[in-house]
Amino acid sequence: MSYNNFIFLLNDALEHQHIQRALDAVKTFKAADLADVLTQLPQQSGLLLLQHLPDRAYIFSYLKPVEQARFMAVLDHKLLVSLFEDMPSDRRVDVFKRLNTEQQNTLLPVLAQAEREDIRKLAAYKEGTAGAIMSSEYATLKPGMTVMEAIRMLREEAPDTETIYFAYVLDDLRRLLGVLSLKELILGREDQNINELMTTDILQAKVSDDQDDVAKLIARYDLLALPVVDDAGIMLGIVTYDDAMDVASDEATEDFLKSGAIQADDKLSLKTAPVFQLYQKRVYWLVILVFGSLLSGIGIAHFEDIIAAHIVLVFFLPLLVGSGGNAGSQSATLMVRALATGDVQFKDWFYLLGRESLVALCLGGTMAFAVSVLGYIRGDEMVALVLALSMMGIVMLGCLIGMSLPFVLNKIGLDPASASAPLVTSICDATGVLVYLFIASQILSGVSV
């Protein structure tokens, strides 16, 4: 049976109130797959199915933000409260932030005090920090416990924690003293003191640390979870590997959008976003680049006499400036990626400048040979010489601009991904026109057509 037919039959069952038949049809589905099913169904059918699903809070957390907002707008108040109470703390606060003020004020008073205080605390942390993505549900142990006591305590805590693969040893002030893995506890003697087993050299993050740095730390050391503490060393929560993957995915999406000169927005959906919103996200950079492209027109106007005398130059103008933009975009893409992964730093700029110059020289030489042949066929040996020298200069300049611009933006505190392909291309187009026509004016001045 095709997926579309399955959705049709599932919707038919729900419309005729055959709830058990619908539940039987999806009982083997994973939470992430069930979230996809909910988005494919008509809203009323999806809402009906969500109401009867086991682990509905966990499934709801897999919905994309735009889909969560769509469901929350029509959810019964009692069901919304139930979802919030059963949802993991980090997902719960994310959903809470997407509610409007009226919904937030209505929801908070009916939640249990523990959930209410937890939401207020986590929602207070600045977006983009470790505090904004951490979970407050983690396993804790007391120093001096035996292995058997620790395992017994973990059994009691397990239903309310996000992960029990690691337990954190805290003192009475909740300062982080050490960390224990479940494997170490299982292999330890029952009467052994956990102080002998715990690791005291702990990788940890401050609550104000940038979430991208936290994600990189988790990836670098292959951690399942990273403890988050305040300036006094008091433990506040953990960031799990799945949260780090979400951060990395969001960062990649943001960089990808910026590389196309589009304002980043993690809630932007090409399929469902209003037309005006898509317009807003794209028009800002495009208007700026329109005025940037005027530099090309100014350059052409300045050299209009040499163009009029050698009209063949116009034939090769798009080819040359396009080659510079392409080479610059390639260099910028490589450099943005290298900066994002930490492969290069600002101190490497001079070294990379030399390497890029060598690469650009080779690229420019190869392309110059190809275009000079076309120039000789279309014009003469002087035109071929102009094209060869211009191609060398334009490609060299394009590569150096594309490599240097992300470095400059990074140095002044801006996102290197802002060195987008359209931005680099516009700059390279303008400089390419100037280089090409300047070389032509120097070589072809006094040469008759």
Side-chain angles (χ1 to χ4, degrees):
M1 181 189 302
S2 69
Y3 185 71
N4 288 337
N5 286 339
F6 170 78
I7 294 297
F8 175 81
L9 294 175
L10 181 63
N11 180 53
D12 183 69
L14 291 167
E15 286 181 344
H16 290 86
Q17 297 296 313
H18 298 152
I19 307 301
Q20 190 56 50
R21 185 194 302 174
L23 292 175
D24 290 340
V26 299
K27 65 182 179 181
T28 60
F29 282 49
K30 304 294 183 184
D33 298 325
L34 276 171
D36 288 338
V37 169
L38 290 174
T39 62
Q40 297 298 318
L41 290 169
Q43 188 174 56
Q44 289 302 318
S45 296
L47 185 60
L48 182 61
L49 180 61
L50 179 65
Q51 290 174 339
H52 292 87
L53 285 172
D55 297 327
R56 57 193 177 195
Y58 183 60
I59 295 166
F60 187 81
S61 68
Y62 273 96
L63 290 171
K64 295 179 180 179
V66 65
E67 295 295 341
Q68 288 180 343
R70 185 169 68 91
F71 274 101
M72 286 188 294
V74 296
L75 275 176
D76 175 76
H77 183 69
K78 185 177 179 180
L79 178 58
L80 184 60
V81 172
S82 174
L83 287 174
F84 264 80
E85 289 179 339
D86 296 335
M87 207 176 292
S89 62
D90 53 338
R91 303 294 178 97
R92 179 169 56 214
V93 74
D94 287 340
V95 175
F96 178 78
K97 289 178 180 178
R98 298 186 188 109
L99 296 173
N100 58 46
T101 304
E102 182 182 351
Q103 289 174 312
Q104 290 178 350
N105 294 335
T106 303
L107 179 66
L108 277 177
V110 297
L111 291 175
Q113 183 177 357
E115 281 81 11
R116 186 164 62 245
E117 293 303 318
D118 186 63
I119 287 175
R120 283 175 172 161
K121 181 177 66 175
L122 293 179
Y125 293 114
K126 183 180 178 182
E127 283 295 326
T129 64
I133 60 171
M134 72 180 182
S135 169
S136 59
E137 299 165 339
Y138 53 92
T140 63
L141 298 173
K142 298 178 181 179
M145 299 178 76
T146 65
V147 168
M148 180 55 68
E149 291 171 336
I151 292 176
R152 189 180 301 117
M153 187 171 181
L154 286 180
R155 286 198 184 105
E156 296 174 358
E157 293 182 350
D160 300 320
T161 57
E162 187 160 351
T163 176
I164 60 167
Y165 294 113
F166 287 93
Y168 302 93
V169 182
L170 310 179
D171 64 12
D172 293 337
L173 297 177
R174 298 193 66 79
R175 288 178 299 200
L176 182 59
L177 303 178
V179 60
L180 270 169
S181 69
L182 185 59
K183 179 180 179 181
E184 289 170 328
L185 283 175
I186 292 174
L187 295 178
R189 302 190 312 273
E190 291 185 358
D191 60 345
Q192 191 172 6
N193 194 309
I194 63 171
N195 291 14
E196 302 172 10
L197 297 173
M198 70 181 186
T199 300
T200 55
D201 183 17
I202 311 166
L203 287 170
Q204 57 190 26
K206 293 290 183 63
V207 70
S208 58
D209 286 351
D210 188 275
Q211 63 179 18
D212 297 333
D213 296 332
V214 173
K216 289 175 183 177
L217 190 62
I218 291 175
R220 177 178 176 82
Y221 294 102
D222 291 329
L223 303 176
L224 290 178
L226 182 71
V228 180
V229 300
D230 63 11
D231 293 333
I234 296 175
M235 187 163 177
L236 302 173
I238 60 172
V239 177
T240 56
Y241 73 95
D242 56 325
D243 295 323
M245 290 176 63
D246 290 340
V247 169
S249 176
D250 291 342
E251 180 68 15
T253 300
E254 180 182 340
D255 288 348
F256 187 79
L257 291 174
K258 285 183 177 179
S259 71
I262 300 172
Q263 294 183 51
D265 186 345
D266 61 348
K267 301 179 180 64
L268 183 67
S269 170
L270 184 62
K271 183 178 179 180
T272 61
V275 172
F276 185 70
Q277 184 184 14
L278 294 175
Y279 161 80
Q280 285 181 308
K281 295 299 178 183
R282 298 169 63 179
V283 70
Y284 173 75
W285 269 109
L286 288 178
V287 170
I288 292 177
L289 295 176
V290 162
F291 289 102
S293 299
L294 288 176
L295 295 174
S296 300
I298 294 172
I300 292 173
H302 181 74
F303 292 101
E304 60 183 10
D305 291 340
I306 192 70
I307 295 175
H310 302 275
I311 198 67
V312 69
L313 296 175
V314 177
F315 179 80
F316 295 100
L317 184 59
L319 184 153
L320 289 168
V321 297
S323 297
N326 292 337
S329 297
Q330 284 185 335
S331 296
T333 300
L334 291 172
M335 198 52 55
V336 168
R337 177 60 181 166
L339 287 169
T341 59
D343 187 36
V344 298
Q345 299 176 1
F346 188 76
K347 64 181 181 180
D348 302 319
W349 186 75
F350 282 107
Y351 170 71
L352 292 172
L353 189 66
R355 285 174 56 88
E356 187 67 16
S357 297
L358 183 60
V359 173
L361 191 63
C362 295
L363 291 172
T366 304
M367 298 170 74
F369 175 77
V371 78
S372 64
V373 174
L374 294 176
Y376 183 77
I377 296 172
R378 181 76 179 181
D380 54 27
E381 64 275 4
M382 298 303 291
V383 172
L385 178 61
V386 169
L387 292 177
L389 294 177
S390 298
M391 181 63 83
M392 287 282 291
I394 290 171
V395 171
M396 176 81 74
L397 199 57
C399 287
L400 296 183
I401 290 173
M403 190 213 73
S404 300
L405 192 56
F407 267 116
V408 173
L409 293 173
N410 187 56
K411 184 63 177 178
I412 62 178
L414 298 177
D415 191 340
S418 297
S420 59
L423 177 60
V424 171
T425 300
S426 295
I427 296 174
C428 291
D429 284 354
T431 55
V433 167
L434 295 175
V435 169
Y436 175 41
L437 296 180
F438 174 78
I439 292 175
S441 67
Q442 296 302 305
I443 294 177
L444 299 180
S445 292
V447 177
S448 59
V449 181

